[in-house]
Amino acid sequence: MAITLYNTLTRKKELLAPLDPNNVRMYVCGPTVYDYAHIGNARPVIVFDVLFRLLRQVYGPDHVTYARNITDVDDKINARAADEKISIRDLTERTTAQFHADIEALGVLPPTIEPRATHHIPEMRAICEELVKRGHAYIADGHVLFDVSSMADYGRLANRSLDEMEAGARIDIAPYKKGPMDFVLWKPSKAAEPSWPSPCGIGTEGRPGWHLECSAMSEKHLGRTFDIHGGGIDLVFPHHENELAQSRCAHGTSMMANIWMHNGFLQVEGEKMSKSLGNFITINELLATEKFGGQPWHGRVIRFAMLGTHYRSPIDWTVERLVQARATLADLADTLGGVAPSTSPHADVLAALQDDLNTPSAISIIHGLAKSARRGNGSTAAELKSALQFLGVYDNEKPDDFFVGAGGSQKVDTAEIARLIQARLDARKDRDFKEADRIRDDLASKGIQLKDGKDPKSGEVVTTWELRR
Ligand code: AMP
Ligand code: ZN
């Protein structure tokens, strides 16, 4: 079963030919954890979750490694922690727990590895030192800077020459830069900012630039070259261009990832949803409040609505889109209620996904299969149910369950669940097991079941939850 994917680097659809089919490797840039994620941030998380599921289906669940990082060192994090007068660690842990709770409600599987930037500082220093040694970076005024003129094909991913970029950029001209497009690998920290010993014998303490974080984490967990690198379209330049430059120049390789994939924007009235424009709605508000369309929305309805548009096209996020998604899911639930799923999803649905993740085509196939299932075709019904479960849009819900605000049975306040999970972990740390168990039982009485697992890398306890009725 062949998968074709559109590669931003070559600007065409390509056959995925894994470097090692026994270990297909994908890296996706994850959230910067300083605030609730908005529904635009959920788009790459959902899109690449579908790709992760497809890779597992095609290559086998044990033959795929998916790393999605947490950016837990960033100037926005420092500023927010100072505003709230809390520690950076408290802010990043709270926000990470919130992010996990939100995306779990959207049917997103945990990635194989979720590396955190602050756990990879020595690896970042090593890349700085290698780049200086190879003549691709220089030290100036406590910074380590990447010298873009040292890389012949800098700009290839963004599809622009250095001259074009220089002409078009509103460049922040720092006196210590040799070239206007040179970018920061490492920078000095002021007194209140997080800091680590700097590389290259700089002497003072500092912190990494954002791009460097992903180069270090992808190398550590996936190797110097891997198969797929993903994120939103806004990351092409400068973030991915710079990641690619750092990694290739530090390792002397001709590529970093074979295929670079980018999702289009989720928009509101034609404009990108973003924190800075203030036109955003958080995942949590959609799930748990009446802020969007006067009612809360079921996580699977949100997911299904998102997949109705091809990942490279923009989506306009409207109430109408959610209403339609909900009606379709309720109809499907009505048709498939008593049906046992088959062992593998319907082949036509898989074939649509194998063609550059064509989810709108998969959904129109689903409509056709549902018609046939309603006419009494049992094997189609079984394969359709399996396909919906595979896509993460349905799992035995009753039609009413999708109507959260109108008598449906699901009411999930993910913020509150995340807070209680943290309170329980804290109680256990303090050896207050009575309180920890009280929190667990209290949630269980509301149909929310906690599951404790271990992060395979750090050995830390990670708690997830699911709804039981
Ligand atoms: P950030 O936390 O801003 O770095 O964004 C996290 C991820 O969400 C990145 O992959 C972004 O490209 C993506 N993203 C941010 N805003 C949108 C949007 N409105 N539509 C689609 N993706 C977005
Ligand atoms: Zn990144």
Side-chain angles (χ1 to χ4, degrees), residues 28-34 38-45 48 71 76 210 230-236 239-240 262-268 271-275 279 315:
V28 172
C29 298
T32 304
V33 283
Y34 67 101
H38 62 62
I39 190 65
N41 300 133
R43 192 170 189 199
V45 177
F48 291 102
T71 296
K76 285 192 277 248
W210 172 37
I233 188 86
D234 53 335
L235 299 191
V236 174
H239 185 53
H240 286 170
H262 296 98
N263 63 268
F265 286 140
L266 181 142
Q267 303 180 328
V268 185
E271 272 198 297
K272 176 193 174 191
M273 180 177 283
S274 73
K275 293 258 162 73
N279 61 350
I315 298 188

Side-chain angles (χ1 to χ4, degrees), residues 394-439:
Y394 172 63
D395 191 21
N396 288 320
E397 286 85 357
K398 297 184 197 68
D400 267 3
D401 294 344
F402 294 117
F403 293 80
V404 182
S409 56
Q410 191 201 39
K411 175 92 184 162
V412 183
D413 182 347
T414 58
E416 179 63 3
I417 297 173
R419 195 188 65 71
L420 289 168
I421 286 178
Q422 193 55 49
R424 175 169 165 268
L425 288 173
D426 291 345
R428 291 199 339 179
K429 260 191 214 144
D430 297 335
R431 308 194 67 74
D432 187 352
F433 297 110
K434 218 170 138 196
E435 169 66 358
D437 289 349
R438 188 194 65 73
I439 295 173

Side-chain angles (χ1 to χ4, degrees), residues 1-5 13 54 57-58 310 345-363 365 369 387 390-391:
M1 290 207 287
I3 299 178
T4 56
L5 298 168
K13 268 200 222 176
L54 181 66
Q57 174 76 22
V58 172
H310 188 259
H346 195 284
D348 293 354
V349 173
L350 287 179
L353 298 178
Q354 282 167 242
D355 177 13
D356 194 28
L357 235 49
N358 196 336
T359 52
S361 161
I363 290 172
I365 290 163
L369 297 175
F390 170 79
L391 275 171

Side-chain angles (χ1 to χ4, degrees), residues 27 29 69 210 214 229 239-240 243:
Y27 185 91
C29 298
N69 76 289
W210 172 37
C214 288
H229 192 131
H239 185 53
H240 286 170
E243 266 186 49

Side-chain angles (χ1 to χ4, degrees), residues 288-304:
T289 75
E290 301 183 340
K291 217 170 151 178
F292 197 73
Q295 56 192 300
W297 297 93
H298 194 289
R300 295 200 195 276
V301 169
I302 296 171
R303 182 178 176 99
F304 194 69

Side-chain angles (χ1 to χ4, degrees), residues 2-16:
I3 299 178
T4 56
L5 298 168
Y6 181 86
N7 189 353
T8 307
L9 190 63
T10 56
R11 281 162 280 283
K12 53 179 197 270
K13 268 200 222 176
E14 286 176 12
L15 194 65
L16 173 68

